[in-house]
Amino acid sequence: MLTILTFLPLLGVAAILLLKFFEKETDELIRRIALGTSAIVFVVSLVVLIGFDTSVGGLQMVEHFDWIPSWGISYYLGVDGLSILMVLLTSFISLLAVAASWTAIKTQVKQYYIFMLLMQLGMMGVFLAQDLFLFYVFWEFTLIPMYFLIGIWGGSNRVYASIKFFLYTMAGSLLMLLAILYMGITNNTFAVPDLIAGREAFADVQNILFLGFAIAFAIKVPIFPFHSWLPDAHTEAPTAGSIILAGVLLKMGTYGFIRFNLPLFPGAAAHYAPAIAVLAIIGIIYGAIVSFPQKDVKKLVAYSSVSHLGFVMLGIFSLNEAGIQGALLQGVNHGLSTGALFFLVGVLYEQRHTRMFADYGGVWKAMPVFSVLALIVTLSSMGLPGLNGFVGEFTILLGSMGAESLGPNPWIYTAFATTGVILAAVYLLWMFQRVFMGPLDNPENKKLRDLNGRELAIMLAFLLFIFWIGIAPSGYFKLMDSSVASLVSNIGSSLVVMP
C-alpha cells in the first residue's frame, strides 16, 4: 500500500506523456489527468489512515526488503504516528495545489504538471522512507522539480530564487550525507530502526553527527539564521509552488528533526536543545518584526513562516510529549493556514498582476465572499481560539513551560515565545487592513470578481480542516499519541546529558 501511495504519481506522469502518441494532447486533458491522479493519491492516503492502528507506537504497514545488501541498503517503507499526519497533509496540499494551478499556468502546461506530480512522489517518499539511503534519495529528488517550478514558472527574479533555493538546500544536505555514510559504515546498515537500536556504536561522536543532520534540516525549516533563501523562493514561486513550499516542503525539515535527530542522538539533542530553542525564539520574533514593514503581500506571508516555524522548533526541543505533539500538529496547521494565505494572494495576483499593498485597499467591497474567507484564514494564522493555530501554539507553549531540556527556568523561553503571538496579530491584522479595508478608490480594484466555483471549493477545503482542528483536535492527537510517547520514552531511557 505504501509503495502504491508513493509511486502512484508516476502513472499520472506516464499518462500525460502518452497523450502525444494518441494525438489527444490538450492542456485541459493534461490538467484533468494531473488532478485525477492527485485525487486518487489522496484517496489512497485515506485508505492508509483507515488501516492505521492508533494504539501501536511503532511502524505499521512495513515494506522491507534488501536493495543493495552488500552495502546494508534496503528498500524500507513504514508509517507511524510521527509521519501519518505528514502523509495526509502531503496528499491534501498536493491535490489543492494542482487545482489552484488550473488557470494560473498557461505556458508549458505538460511540463508543469509532470513536475508537480514528481514533486508529490518525492515528498511522500521522504515521510515514508525508513532507510537513510532511501530517505536521502527522496530528500534530494524533491529539489529537482521545485527548482524547475520556480525557475520556469516563477516571477521576474525566478532564476536567482531557484538557484539560491537549490544551492542552499544542496549544501546543507551534503553534511547530512557524510553523517549518513559514517553511521551506515559503522553499523553496516542504513535502516533507521536498526541504527536506533545500535546507536551506542556512534555515541562518542553523536554531537558531530547531530550537527550534520541538524544543519540540513535547519536550512529546510528554515531556522534563523539559515532562512534567507525562503523569502526569495516564496515570492518568486508560482502560487502552487508557494502552497507546496509552505504546506509540505518546510515540514520535511521539522519532520527530520523528530524522525532522526531525537531518537538517533538523544544525548546531543539534550545538549543542543537550549541553543536551538534560543534560535527558534529569535526566529519567532525576527520573522514577525521583519514581516511588518513588507510592501509585498507574498513576502510578508513568507517571513511569517520563519516566525511560525520557530514555534514548531521550540516544541520539538522541549523533548516532552506535549511539545512534540504540538510541533507535529502545528506543522499541519501552518501548512493549512499559510498555504491558504498563499492561495488567496494568488487569486488576487491572477486578476491584478501585482502584490504590492499600495495597489490595494477596499477589496472587501469588491470581493465580499473572498474577504470573509481571507479574514478567517488570517485569524487562524494569528492563533485565534476556535481555529487550528491556537491548538498547536498552546500545546507547544505548554510543553516548553515544563521542558527539563531547557534548563531550570524554561518559563523564560515560553515568555519570549508568547511575544510572537502578539506580534503575529500586529502584522497580520495590518496586512488585512491595508488590503481589504478602507475606500475602494483604485479603478482597477473595482473590476475584481469574487471567487468562482473552483476557487471557493479550494478555500472551503482549507477551512474545513482549519475549523475541525480548532474545535475537535483530539482525533489528531490520538493519531500520534502512541508514537510520541514511545519516542519520548526511548529518548529518556537512553539519555546521557552531554558535558
Side-chain angles (χ1 to χ4, degrees), residues 116-309:
M116 287 288 286
L117 292 173
L118 291 176
M119 189 77 217
Q120 191 171 348
L121 184 160
M123 295 185 299
M124 198 66 77
V126 164
F127 295 125
L128 294 175
Q130 303 300 327
D131 179 279
L132 280 178
F133 182 86
L134 182 64
F135 166 80
Y136 189 79
V137 170
F138 283 124
W139 176 272
E140 292 294 271
F141 179 79
T142 58
L143 297 182
I144 300 168
M146 185 52 72
Y147 170 79
F148 285 108
L149 286 171
I150 297 172
I152 297 176
W153 294 276
S156 56
N157 292 323
R158 58 186 180 273
V159 175
Y160 167 76
S162 61
I163 292 174
K164 190 175 183 180
F165 159 76
F166 193 92
L167 291 180
Y168 260 71
T169 46
M170 186 77 177
S173 299
L174 291 177
L175 295 173
M176 179 169 67
L177 177 61
L178 293 175
I180 289 172
L181 290 173
Y182 180 88
M183 289 191 296
I185 293 169
T186 302
N187 291 58
N188 198 32
T189 180
F190 288 89
V192 176
D194 295 341
L195 289 171
I196 293 172
R199 60 192 167 198
E200 293 82 8
F202 47 82
D204 55 331
V205 291
Q206 65 172 308
N207 276 13
I208 298 172
L209 296 174
F210 178 95
L211 289 175
F213 278 83
I215 291 172
F217 298 146
I219 291 171
K220 186 72 81 175
V221 171
I223 303 172
F224 178 91
F226 303 103
H227 66 282
S228 66
W229 66 269
L230 181 68
D232 292 315
H234 265 318
T235 305
E236 298 304 323
T239 297
S242 294
I243 292 172
I244 286 181
L245 259 175
V248 184
L249 219 65
L250 307 186
K251 310 313 173 305
M252 286 165 48
T254 56
Y255 169 80
F257 276 108
I258 297 171
R259 170 65 69 194
F260 304 112
N261 284 64
L262 300 192
L264 286 170
F265 322 111
H271 176 64
Y272 288 114
I276 293 176
V278 168
L279 291 178
I281 290 168
I282 292 172
I284 290 170
I285 298 171
Y286 167 84
I289 291 173
V290 176
S291 293
F292 185 75
Q294 296 303 319
K295 298 178 181 179
D296 183 322
V297 185
K298 205 172 185 185
K299 191 160 274 192
L300 181 147
V301 179
Y303 274 111
S304 77
S305 290
V306 178
S307 183
H308 286 125
L309 287 163

Side-chain angles (χ1 to χ4, degrees), residues 285-491:
I285 298 171
Y286 167 84
I289 291 173
V290 176
S291 293
F292 185 75
Q294 296 303 319
K295 298 178 181 179
D296 183 322
V297 185
K298 205 172 185 185
K299 191 160 274 192
L300 181 147
V301 179
Y303 274 111
S304 77
S305 290
V306 178
S307 183
H308 286 125
L309 287 163
F311 280 101
V312 176
M313 291 304 302
L314 178 63
I316 292 171
F317 283 90
S318 297
L319 299 184
N320 54 33
E321 288 188 40
I324 294 172
Q325 286 195 357
L328 284 167
L329 187 62
Q330 190 62 7
V332 175
N333 293 338
H334 176 264
L336 294 169
S337 298
T338 308
L341 282 174
F342 277 121
F343 174 68
L344 291 167
V345 174
V347 171
L348 284 176
Y349 183 78
E350 199 172 330
Q351 296 189 56
R352 286 282 281 108
H353 302 289
T354 177
R355 296 187 299 264
M356 297 296 139
F357 284 111
D359 296 321
Y360 290 103
V363 171
W364 189 295
K365 296 173 184 175
M367 307 171 72
V369 175
F370 174 86
S371 302
V372 169
L373 301 183
L375 177 60
I376 296 170
V377 173
T378 302
L379 294 174
S380 81
S381 192
M382 280 169 42
L384 185 77
L387 301 175
N388 61 341
F390 175 76
V391 179
E393 288 180 0
F394 178 82
T395 314
I396 287 168
L397 294 173
L398 190 67
S400 67
M401 183 69 84
E404 295 179 6
S405 62
L406 301 181
N409 297 304
W411 62 269
I412 296 174
Y413 295 85
T414 309
F416 276 102
T418 52
T419 61
V421 180
I422 301 165
L423 292 171
V426 173
Y427 68 76
L428 286 168
L429 290 176
W430 181 235
M431 173 198 76
F432 190 84
Q433 180 183 352
R434 284 188 285 177
V435 174
F436 294 95
M437 311 307 287
L440 184 63
D441 50 11
N442 188 325
E444 292 297 319
N445 292 333
K446 294 178 182 178
K447 301 175 186 176
L448 289 170
R449 61 159 179 80
D450 216 331
L451 294 175
N452 60 31
R454 174 183 58 85
E455 293 161 347
L456 181 61
I458 293 171
M459 278 309 303
L460 291 177
F462 277 119
L463 291 174
L464 169 65
F465 291 97
I466 285 173
F467 279 109
W468 187 356
I469 296 173
I471 296 169
S474 59
Y476 295 87
F477 284 121
K478 188 177 179 181
L479 286 172
M480 57 178 116
D481 271 342
S482 298
S483 293
V484 172
S486 176
L487 172 64
V488 172
S489 174
N490 188 296
I491 294 170

Side-chain angles (χ1 to χ4, degrees), residues 66-87:
D66 289 337
W67 184 11
I68 312 175
S70 58
W71 296 351
I73 296 171
S74 57
Y75 177 82
Y76 196 168
L77 299 180
V79 65
D80 63 4
L82 305 180
S83 58
I84 184 66
L85 285 176
M86 293 297 107
V87 168

